[in-house]
């Protein structure tokens, strides 16, 4: 397999100006020297992306992965090293870049298309597809300033994806438009993938990296730390991120009167060790460590799991399970034992709280007390959603002779 | 090296960006395109009143056309001047105004500057066409001279694109450039025989006991040659001096050369400097 993208010993340096010479006066006063610090966004990065693969770059914010993508797109020029790309490149860095608000959708499709390197004849041929894909047939002759932001990015996406690239570069724009359009985008990506187009993605969405990418590169402080099969590299990356996360302590806010406090909330694996990762289907225990500074009657313990976006997935309480101690004093633990964790792969936060029996008074509430990741397990479901129903498929074809 | 398809795509992009400039310019204005004619007409009216009525500037009659209309004399200089001033101002800010585009998409960046100048070139052609009709009505048979005017416009366009390329990248690094240009353009306007005839500039002036060849120095300004050549072709109806045209051609090619060299030198860092 030949390489679609070859990156050879590429370094890129940025100047972080403290006092920028943006005027001649300043330049003359400082005799041409402006004060800046050098920041190496990329250092000696080499890799090959074989043609036809879907390649993902992951890494923390500011690690240099977007810079690398911009270098591949020829928007930034590396300070040393060399990048060669085989075939036509289309970059989805910003959707609808170059749209003129006063011009109609139609005029902007032609304008944007030619910016992305498409000839007029090709655009004539693809025009209907582009408009249909964006679902904007009715609005194509109105000025794009009247478009909603969703319509705007849909049209931008549709132009960019229909230019027929050999190499498609995508930076964090997978989540555009509504649910229906996202599904269309995903289908389109899979189709492009099937057509043998090389796709290079930069994203923080590790779940889509796992499901879309064949090969993943982990960029860390401007260096390429690891390249390999998607699951392995994502796992290695998560391990690394978790080491950093452990000493951060609580993530969210905390409130309450303090008669009883939640000292910490832990996720325990089957051997009873605190973990920050589990697999779908694993047995886990959520353990609340409490400390009652004075005797408290009939307290209620509660726990909740949220997505990072704040969707509450579950909110069990001891009261509803009929388990309310008459009185507590001193330290202790309350466990929520889960036989099978039915969360699908992703990152979640758990919160814990102690209230009085009527849930009118909060002794202590620790919002987002612990963050944990769920990796694919059993049931193996990675095509979307947050929870598994734990169901089993059965296929029973109807026989026509019956 | 640019391949053939890249060049043809660049041409289409150039056309599309020029259309964007043109369409964007007068969208949502009631008179639309008429504005592009209105502007030089109003300037012409003002200058005619100020310079002909108040200051009583005397202009020589057209030789050999015999035409003697101050407004037309003025327009011969004003139209190419407006092209220069608008093209330089527009081209100079073309990169800054399209910063997001430069930071997000790769394409040859020269096209942004060239397309802006091209949009003013289209305006110039429309203005010249209307002007030619007016001249015909007034009795100046300009038709045989029009092909030469087109060539002259092409040479001036090369000159303006060269300057715009140079200024556009410099302006990214030093925003002073655009303020400096506002002043320099005023100076340049009055150093060009637009509102007065070239003959009012003395051949020599005495300075510290030396004879300074003022006229010769004055004529180094390429806009003097351009305005005189437009006037020769449209007002006087005569062939401009060959030496003059050769000088304009040389200056224009040099301007484009310098513009391209500086532009290509500074272009790789544009996306991060913007």
């Amino acid at each position: 397999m030949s390489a679609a993208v070859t990156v050879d010993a590429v370094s890129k340096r940025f100047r972080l100006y403290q006092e920028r010479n943006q005027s001649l006066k300043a330049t003359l006063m400082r005799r041409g020297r402006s004060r800046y610090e050098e920041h190496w966004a990329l250092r000696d990065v080499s890799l090959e992306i074989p043609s036809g693969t879907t390649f993902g770059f992951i890494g923390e914010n500011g690690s240099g992965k977007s810079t690398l993508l911009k270098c591949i797109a020829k928007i930034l020029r590396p300070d040393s090293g060399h990048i060669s790309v085989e075939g036509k490149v289309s970059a989805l860095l910003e959707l609808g870049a170059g749209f003129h608000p006063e011009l109609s959708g139609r005029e902007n499709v032609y304008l944007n298309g030619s910016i992305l390197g498409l000839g007029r004849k090709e655009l004539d041929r693809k025009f209907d597809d582009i408009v249909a894909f964006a679902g904007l047939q009715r609005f194509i002759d109105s000025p794009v300033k009247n478009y909603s932001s969703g319509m705007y990015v849909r049209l931008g996406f549709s132009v960019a994806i229909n230019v027929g690239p050999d190499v498609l570069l995508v930076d964090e724009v997978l989540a555009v438009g509504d649910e229906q359009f996202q599904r269309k985008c995903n289908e389109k990506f899979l189709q492009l993938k099937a057509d043998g187009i090389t796709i290079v993605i930069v994203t923080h969405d590790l779940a889509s990296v796992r499901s879309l990418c064949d090969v993943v590169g982990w960029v860390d402080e401007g260096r390429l730390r690891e390249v390999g099969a998607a699951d392995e590299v994502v796992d290695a990356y998560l391990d690394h991120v978790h080491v950093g996360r452990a000493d951060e302590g609580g993530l969210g806010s905390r409130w309450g009167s303090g008669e009883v406090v939640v000292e910490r909330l832990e996720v325990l694996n089957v051997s009873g060790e605190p973990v920050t990762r589990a697999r779908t289907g694993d047995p886990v225990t959520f353990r609340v460590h409490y400390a009652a500074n004075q005797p408290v009657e009939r307290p209620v313990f509660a726990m909740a799991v949220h997505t990072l976006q704040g969707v509450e997935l579950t909110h069990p309480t001891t009261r509803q399970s009929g388990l309310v101690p008459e009185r507590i004093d001193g330290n202790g633990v309350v466990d929520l034992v889960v036989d099978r964790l039915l969360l699908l792969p992703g990152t979640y936060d758990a919160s814990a709280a102690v209230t009085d029996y009527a849930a009118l008074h909060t002794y202590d509430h620790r919002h987002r007390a612990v963050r944990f990741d769920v990796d694919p397990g059993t049931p193996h479901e990675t095509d979307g959603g947050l929870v598994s129903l734990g169901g089993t498929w059965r296929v029973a074809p109807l026989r026509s002779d019956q | 090296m640019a391949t053939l398809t890249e060049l043809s795509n660049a041409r289409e992009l150039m056309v599309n960006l020029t259309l964007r400039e043109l369409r964007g310019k007068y969208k949502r204005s009631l008179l639309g395109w008429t504005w592009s004619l209105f502007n030089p007409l109003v300037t012409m009216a003002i200058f005619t009143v100020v310079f002909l009525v108040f200051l009583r500037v005397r202009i020589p009659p057209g030789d050999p056309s015999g035409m003697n209309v101050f407004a037309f004399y003025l327009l011969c200089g004003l139209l190419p001047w407006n092209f220069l001033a608008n093209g330089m101002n527009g081209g100079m800010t073309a990169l800054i105004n399209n910063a997001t585009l430069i930071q997000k998409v790769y394409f040859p960046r020269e096209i942004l500057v060239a397309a802006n100048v091209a949009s003013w070139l289209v305006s110039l052609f429309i203005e010249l066409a209307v002007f030619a009709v007016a001249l015909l009505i007034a009795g100046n048979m300009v038709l045989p001279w029009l092909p030469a005017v087109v060539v002259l416009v092409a040479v001036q366009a090369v000159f303006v694109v060269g300057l715009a390329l140079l200024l556009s990248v410099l302006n990214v690094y030093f925003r002073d450039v655009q303020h400096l240009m506002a002043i320099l353009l005023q100076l340049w306007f009055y150093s060009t025989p637009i509102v007065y005839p070239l003959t009012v500039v003395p051949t020599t002036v005495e300075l510290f006991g030396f004879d300074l060849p003022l006229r010769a120095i004055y004529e180094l300004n390429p806009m003097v040659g351009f305005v005189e050549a437009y006037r020769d072709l449209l007002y006087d109806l005569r062939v401009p001096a060959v030496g003059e045209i050769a000088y304009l051609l040389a200056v224009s090619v040099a301007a484009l050369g310098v513009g391209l060299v500086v532009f290509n030198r500074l272009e790789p860092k544009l996306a991060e400097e913007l």
Side-chain angles (χ1 to χ4, degrees), chain A residues 179 182 186 205 207 280 307 309 311 313 342-348 374 381-389:
Chain A
E179 204 73 15
Q182 279 205 28
N186 273 328
D205 181 0
T280 308
T307 65
Q309 290 75 32
V311 177
L313 296 173
L342 291 179
L343 295 175
L344 291 180
T347 304
Y348 301 91
V374 177
E381 295 174 25
T382 53
D383 288 331
L386 296 168
V387 294
S388 170
L389 296 179

PDB file of all heavy atoms in Angstrom, chain A residues 179 182 186 205 207 280 307 309 311 313 342-348 374 381-389:
ATOM      1  N   GLU A 179     -29.571  15.521  14.898  1.00  0.00           N
ATOM      2  CA  GLU A 179     -29.385  14.072  14.964  1.00  0.00           C
ATOM      3  C   GLU A 179     -29.426  13.434  13.578  1.00  0.00           C
ATOM      4  O   GLU A 179     -28.574  12.641  13.200  1.00  0.00           O
ATOM      5  CB  GLU A 179     -30.521  13.505  15.824  1.00  0.00           C
ATOM      6  CG  GLU A 179     -30.236  12.194  16.460  1.00  0.00           C
ATOM      7  CD  GLU A 179     -29.257  12.307  17.606  1.00  0.00           C
ATOM      8  OE1 GLU A 179     -29.003  13.424  18.111  1.00  0.00           O
ATOM      9  OE2 GLU A 179     -28.717  11.271  17.977  1.00  0.00           O
ATOM     10  N   GLN A 182     -26.428  14.315  11.475  1.00  0.00           N
ATOM     11  CA  GLN A 182     -25.251  13.602  11.963  1.00  0.00           C
ATOM     12  C   GLN A 182     -25.218  12.177  11.451  1.00  0.00           C
ATOM     13  O   GLN A 182     -24.168  11.646  11.114  1.00  0.00           O
ATOM     14  CB  GLN A 182     -25.251  13.585  13.481  1.00  0.00           C
ATOM     15  CG  GLN A 182     -24.723  14.859  14.068  1.00  0.00           C
ATOM     16  CD  GLN A 182     -24.167  14.618  15.446  1.00  0.00           C
ATOM     17  OE1 GLN A 182     -23.710  13.526  15.757  1.00  0.00           O
ATOM     18  NE2 GLN A 182     -24.211  15.639  16.264  1.00  0.00           N
ATOM     19  N   ASN A 186     -22.309  10.487   9.227  1.00  0.00           N
ATOM     20  CA  ASN A 186     -21.633   9.234   9.549  1.00  0.00           C
ATOM     21  C   ASN A 186     -21.714   8.241   8.402  1.00  0.00           C
ATOM     22  O   ASN A 186     -20.734   7.587   8.061  1.00  0.00           O
ATOM     23  CB  ASN A 186     -22.227   8.624  10.814  1.00  0.00           C
ATOM     24  CG  ASN A 186     -21.546   9.182  12.047  1.00  0.00           C
ATOM     25  OD1 ASN A 186     -20.361   9.510  11.994  1.00  0.00           O
ATOM     26  ND2 ASN A 186     -22.286   9.316  13.118  1.00  0.00           N
ATOM     27  N   ASP A 205     -13.196  13.110  20.624  1.00  0.00           N
ATOM     28  CA  ASP A 205     -14.259  12.140  20.828  1.00  0.00           C
ATOM     29  C   ASP A 205     -13.678  10.730  20.651  1.00  0.00           C
ATOM     30  O   ASP A 205     -13.645  10.187  19.553  1.00  0.00           O
ATOM     31  CB  ASP A 205     -15.377  12.428  19.815  1.00  0.00           C
ATOM     32  CG  ASP A 205     -16.541  11.480  19.983  1.00  0.00           C
ATOM     33  OD1 ASP A 205     -16.476  10.608  20.881  1.00  0.00           O
ATOM     34  OD2 ASP A 205     -17.508  11.619  19.223  1.00  0.00           O
ATOM     35  N   ALA A 207     -14.707   7.863  21.499  1.00  0.00           N
ATOM     36  CA  ALA A 207     -15.618   6.801  21.052  1.00  0.00           C
ATOM     37  C   ALA A 207     -15.675   6.747  19.533  1.00  0.00           C
ATOM     38  O   ALA A 207     -15.619   5.673  18.936  1.00  0.00           O
ATOM     39  CB  ALA A 207     -17.005   7.031  21.633  1.00  0.00           C
ATOM     40  N   THR A 280     -18.069  -2.243  29.823  1.00  0.00           N
ATOM     41  CA  THR A 280     -19.497  -2.530  29.799  1.00  0.00           C
ATOM     42  C   THR A 280     -19.701  -3.979  30.240  1.00  0.00           C
ATOM     43  O   THR A 280     -19.016  -4.874  29.750  1.00  0.00           O
ATOM     44  CB  THR A 280     -20.055  -2.352  28.373  1.00  0.00           C
ATOM     45  OG1 THR A 280     -19.669  -1.071  27.902  1.00  0.00           O
ATOM     46  CG2 THR A 280     -21.558  -2.491  28.342  1.00  0.00           C
ATOM     47  N   THR A 307     -23.594  12.077  32.142  1.00  0.00           N
ATOM     48  CA  THR A 307     -22.612  12.215  31.068  1.00  0.00           C
ATOM     49  C   THR A 307     -21.893  13.540  31.309  1.00  0.00           C
ATOM     50  O   THR A 307     -22.326  14.360  32.116  1.00  0.00           O
ATOM     51  CB  THR A 307     -23.286  12.286  29.694  1.00  0.00           C
ATOM     52  OG1 THR A 307     -24.060  13.474  29.654  1.00  0.00           O
ATOM     53  CG2 THR A 307     -24.165  11.079  29.453  1.00  0.00           C
ATOM     54  N   GLN A 309     -21.891  15.934  29.441  1.00  0.00           N
ATOM     55  CA  GLN A 309     -22.759  17.020  28.996  1.00  0.00           C
ATOM     56  C   GLN A 309     -23.854  17.306  30.017  1.00  0.00           C
ATOM     57  O   GLN A 309     -24.614  18.244  29.875  1.00  0.00           O
ATOM     58  CB  GLN A 309     -23.416  16.680  27.661  1.00  0.00           C
ATOM     59  CG  GLN A 309     -22.470  16.664  26.471  1.00  0.00           C
ATOM     60  CD  GLN A 309     -21.576  15.434  26.438  1.00  0.00           C
ATOM     61  OE1 GLN A 309     -21.972  14.356  26.882  1.00  0.00           O
ATOM     62  NE2 GLN A 309     -20.364  15.594  25.950  1.00  0.00           N
ATOM     63  N   VAL A 311     -26.274  15.012  31.153  1.00  0.00           N
ATOM     64  CA  VAL A 311     -27.482  14.180  31.122  1.00  0.00           C
ATOM     65  C   VAL A 311     -27.424  13.189  32.288  1.00  0.00           C
ATOM     66  O   VAL A 311     -26.453  12.450  32.434  1.00  0.00           O
ATOM     67  CB  VAL A 311     -27.577  13.395  29.797  1.00  0.00           C
ATOM     68  CG1 VAL A 311     -28.804  12.480  29.797  1.00  0.00           C
ATOM     69  CG2 VAL A 311     -27.605  14.343  28.626  1.00  0.00           C
ATOM     70  N   LEU A 313     -28.214   9.918  34.024  1.00  0.00           N
ATOM     71  CA  LEU A 313     -28.603   8.598  33.514  1.00  0.00           C
ATOM     72  C   LEU A 313     -29.331   7.785  34.568  1.00  0.00           C
ATOM     73  O   LEU A 313     -30.189   6.972  34.241  1.00  0.00           O
ATOM     74  CB  LEU A 313     -27.342   7.843  33.062  1.00  0.00           C
ATOM     75  CG  LEU A 313     -26.630   8.501  31.898  1.00  0.00           C
ATOM     76  CD1 LEU A 313     -25.323   7.798  31.635  1.00  0.00           C
ATOM     77  CD2 LEU A 313     -27.513   8.454  30.658  1.00  0.00           C
ATOM     78  N   LEU A 342     -24.248  -1.367  32.850  1.00  0.00           N
ATOM     79  CA  LEU A 342     -24.828  -1.326  31.504  1.00  0.00           C
ATOM     80  C   LEU A 342     -24.593   0.008  30.794  1.00  0.00           C
ATOM     81  O   LEU A 342     -25.299   0.361  29.865  1.00  0.00           O
ATOM     82  CB  LEU A 342     -26.319  -1.655  31.577  1.00  0.00           C
ATOM     83  CG  LEU A 342     -26.579  -3.124  31.954  1.00  0.00           C
ATOM     84  CD1 LEU A 342     -28.057  -3.417  32.039  1.00  0.00           C
ATOM     85  CD2 LEU A 342     -25.902  -4.071  30.961  1.00  0.00           C
ATOM     86  N   LEU A 343     -23.571   0.743  31.245  1.00  0.00           N
ATOM     87  CA  LEU A 343     -23.206   1.975  30.532  1.00  0.00           C
ATOM     88  C   LEU A 343     -22.387   1.602  29.295  1.00  0.00           C
ATOM     89  O   LEU A 343     -21.575   0.694  29.335  1.00  0.00           O
ATOM     90  CB  LEU A 343     -22.364   2.869  31.435  1.00  0.00           C
ATOM     91  CG  LEU A 343     -23.056   3.416  32.673  1.00  0.00           C
ATOM     92  CD1 LEU A 343     -22.054   4.173  33.525  1.00  0.00           C
ATOM     93  CD2 LEU A 343     -24.201   4.335  32.265  1.00  0.00           C
ATOM     94  N   LEU A 344     -22.619   2.337  28.229  1.00  0.00           N
ATOM     95  CA  LEU A 344     -21.858   2.094  26.996  1.00  0.00           C
ATOM     96  C   LEU A 344     -20.567   2.905  27.026  1.00  0.00           C
ATOM     97  O   LEU A 344     -20.432   3.846  27.809  1.00  0.00           O
ATOM     98  CB  LEU A 344     -22.721   2.461  25.792  1.00  0.00           C
ATOM     99  CG  LEU A 344     -23.891   1.485  25.593  1.00  0.00           C
ATOM    100  CD1 LEU A 344     -24.708   1.884  24.389  1.00  0.00           C
ATOM    101  CD2 LEU A 344     -23.378   0.061  25.451  1.00  0.00           C
ATOM    102  N   PRO A 345     -19.594   2.574  26.172  1.00  0.00           N
ATOM    103  CA  PRO A 345     -18.292   3.230  26.233  1.00  0.00           C
ATOM    104  C   PRO A 345     -18.391   4.750  26.187  1.00  0.00           C
ATOM    105  O   PRO A 345     -19.164   5.306  25.401  1.00  0.00           O
ATOM    106  CB  PRO A 345     -17.583   2.691  24.992  1.00  0.00           C
ATOM    107  CG  PRO A 345     -18.189   1.355  24.788  1.00  0.00           C
ATOM    108  CD  PRO A 345     -19.611   1.462  25.231  1.00  0.00           C
ATOM    109  N   GLY A 346     -17.623   5.398  27.049  1.00  0.00           N
ATOM    110  CA  GLY A 346     -17.640   6.846  27.132  1.00  0.00           C
ATOM    111  C   GLY A 346     -17.097   7.264  28.483  1.00  0.00           C
ATOM    112  O   GLY A 346     -16.610   6.435  29.249  1.00  0.00           O
ATOM    113  N   THR A 347     -17.194   8.546  28.779  1.00  0.00           N
ATOM    114  CA  THR A 347     -16.718   9.056  30.056  1.00  0.00           C
ATOM    115  C   THR A 347     -17.917   9.556  30.852  1.00  0.00           C
ATOM    116  O   THR A 347     -18.788  10.224  30.294  1.00  0.00           O
ATOM    117  CB  THR A 347     -15.719  10.200  29.827  1.00  0.00           C
ATOM    118  OG1 THR A 347     -14.680   9.717  28.991  1.00  0.00           O
ATOM    119  CG2 THR A 347     -15.124  10.680  31.130  1.00  0.00           C
ATOM    120  N   TYR A 348     -17.950   9.212  32.137  1.00  0.00           N
ATOM    121  CA  TYR A 348     -19.100   9.561  32.975  1.00  0.00           C
ATOM    122  C   TYR A 348     -18.621  10.147  34.281  1.00  0.00           C
ATOM    123  O   TYR A 348     -17.502   9.897  34.731  1.00  0.00           O
ATOM    124  CB  TYR A 348     -19.951   8.319  33.247  1.00  0.00           C
ATOM    125  CG  TYR A 348     -20.484   7.674  31.982  1.00  0.00           C
ATOM    126  CD1 TYR A 348     -19.768   6.666  31.344  1.00  0.00           C
ATOM    127  CD2 TYR A 348     -21.676   8.108  31.416  1.00  0.00           C
ATOM    128  CE1 TYR A 348     -20.223   6.096  30.173  1.00  0.00           C
ATOM    129  CE2 TYR A 348     -22.151   7.540  30.246  1.00  0.00           C
ATOM    130  CZ  TYR A 348     -21.423   6.536  29.620  1.00  0.00           C
ATOM    131  OH  TYR A 348     -21.893   5.986  28.467  1.00  0.00           O
ATOM    132  N   VAL A 374     -15.749   4.214  30.576  1.00  0.00           N
ATOM    133  CA  VAL A 374     -16.250   2.873  30.295  1.00  0.00           C
ATOM    134  C   VAL A 374     -15.717   2.464  28.932  1.00  0.00           C
ATOM    135  O   VAL A 374     -15.807   3.233  27.972  1.00  0.00           O
ATOM    136  CB  VAL A 374     -17.789   2.831  30.323  1.00  0.00           C
ATOM    137  CG1 VAL A 374     -18.289   1.456  29.959  1.00  0.00           C
ATOM    138  CG2 VAL A 374     -18.287   3.257  31.692  1.00  0.00           C
ATOM    139  N   GLU A 381     -21.473  -2.868  22.269  1.00  0.00           N
ATOM    140  CA  GLU A 381     -22.278  -1.934  21.475  1.00  0.00           C
ATOM    141  C   GLU A 381     -21.502  -0.634  21.367  1.00  0.00           C
ATOM    142  O   GLU A 381     -21.287   0.040  22.359  1.00  0.00           O
ATOM    143  CB  GLU A 381     -23.621  -1.655  22.170  1.00  0.00           C
ATOM    144  CG  GLU A 381     -24.521  -2.871  22.281  1.00  0.00           C
ATOM    145  CD  GLU A 381     -25.781  -2.564  23.109  1.00  0.00           C
ATOM    146  OE1 GLU A 381     -26.171  -1.387  23.181  1.00  0.00           O
ATOM    147  OE2 GLU A 381     -26.341  -3.505  23.674  1.00  0.00           O
ATOM    148  N   THR A 382     -21.047  -0.299  20.158  1.00  0.00           N
ATOM    149  CA  THR A 382     -20.280   0.939  20.028  1.00  0.00           C
ATOM    150  C   THR A 382     -20.865   1.839  18.945  1.00  0.00           C
ATOM    151  O   THR A 382     -20.212   2.758  18.487  1.00  0.00           O
ATOM    152  CB  THR A 382     -18.808   0.636  19.680  1.00  0.00           C
ATOM    153  OG1 THR A 382     -18.788  -0.206  18.536  1.00  0.00           O
ATOM    154  CG2 THR A 382     -18.077  -0.011  20.814  1.00  0.00           C
ATOM    155  N   ASP A 383     -22.109   1.577  18.560  1.00  0.00           N
ATOM    156  CA  ASP A 383     -22.672   2.390  17.480  1.00  0.00           C
ATOM    157  C   ASP A 383     -23.491   3.565  17.986  1.00  0.00           C
ATOM    158  O   ASP A 383     -24.209   4.196  17.205  1.00  0.00           O
ATOM    159  CB  ASP A 383     -23.519   1.518  16.548  1.00  0.00           C
ATOM    160  CG  ASP A 383     -22.629   0.615  15.712  1.00  0.00           C
ATOM    161  OD1 ASP A 383     -21.485   1.030  15.449  1.00  0.00           O
ATOM    162  OD2 ASP A 383     -23.059  -0.486  15.354  1.00  0.00           O
ATOM    163  N   GLY A 384     -23.421   3.891  19.248  1.00  0.00           N
ATOM    164  CA  GLY A 384     -24.139   5.048  19.754  1.00  0.00           C
ATOM    165  C   GLY A 384     -24.976   4.694  20.959  1.00  0.00           C
ATOM    166  O   GLY A 384     -25.141   3.518  21.308  1.00  0.00           O
ATOM    167  N   GLY A 385     -25.495   5.742  21.586  1.00  0.00           N
ATOM    168  CA  GLY A 385     -26.302   5.525  22.770  1.00  0.00           C
ATOM    169  C   GLY A 385     -25.471   5.613  24.025  1.00  0.00           C
ATOM    170  O   GLY A 385     -24.248   5.741  23.983  1.00  0.00           O
ATOM    171  N   LEU A 386     -26.137   5.593  25.171  1.00  0.00           N
ATOM    172  CA  LEU A 386     -25.455   5.757  26.445  1.00  0.00           C
ATOM    173  C   LEU A 386     -25.525   4.504  27.293  1.00  0.00           C
ATOM    174  O   LEU A 386     -24.607   4.187  28.032  1.00  0.00           O
ATOM    175  CB  LEU A 386     -26.077   6.923  27.213  1.00  0.00           C
ATOM    176  CG  LEU A 386     -25.927   8.287  26.540  1.00  0.00           C
ATOM    177  CD1 LEU A 386     -26.818   9.299  27.218  1.00  0.00           C
ATOM    178  CD2 LEU A 386     -24.485   8.739  26.587  1.00  0.00           C
ATOM    179  N   VAL A 387     -26.655   3.795  27.211  1.00  0.00           N
ATOM    180  CA  VAL A 387     -26.796   2.595  28.037  1.00  0.00           C
ATOM    181  C   VAL A 387     -27.213   1.414  27.170  1.00  0.00           C
ATOM    182  O   VAL A 387     -27.800   1.578  26.107  1.00  0.00           O
ATOM    183  CB  VAL A 387     -27.867   2.785  29.139  1.00  0.00           C
ATOM    184  CG1 VAL A 387     -27.425   3.822  30.131  1.00  0.00           C
ATOM    185  CG2 VAL A 387     -29.210   3.137  28.541  1.00  0.00           C
ATOM    186  N   SER A 388     -26.874   0.264  27.660  1.00  0.00           N
ATOM    187  CA  SER A 388     -27.308  -0.953  26.996  1.00  0.00           C
ATOM    188  C   SER A 388     -28.547  -1.456  27.717  1.00  0.00           C
ATOM    189  O   SER A 388     -28.705  -1.240  28.924  1.00  0.00           O
ATOM    190  CB  SER A 388     -26.207  -2.002  27.079  1.00  0.00           C
ATOM    191  OG  SER A 388     -26.714  -3.251  26.642  1.00  0.00           O
ATOM    192  N   LEU A 389     -29.437  -2.091  26.983  1.00  0.00           N
ATOM    193  CA  LEU A 389     -30.585  -2.711  27.632  1.00  0.00           C
ATOM    194  C   LEU A 389     -30.234  -4.134  28.040  1.00  0.00           C
ATOM    195  O   LEU A 389     -31.025  -4.830  28.656  1.00  0.00           O
ATOM    196  CB  LEU A 389     -31.794  -2.715  26.696  1.00  0.00           C
ATOM    197  CG  LEU A 389     -32.306  -1.317  26.339  1.00  0.00           C
ATOM    198  CD1 LEU A 389     -33.485  -1.414  25.386  1.00  0.00           C
ATOM    199  CD2 LEU A 389     -32.694  -0.540  27.584  1.00  0.00           C
TER     200      LEU A 389
END
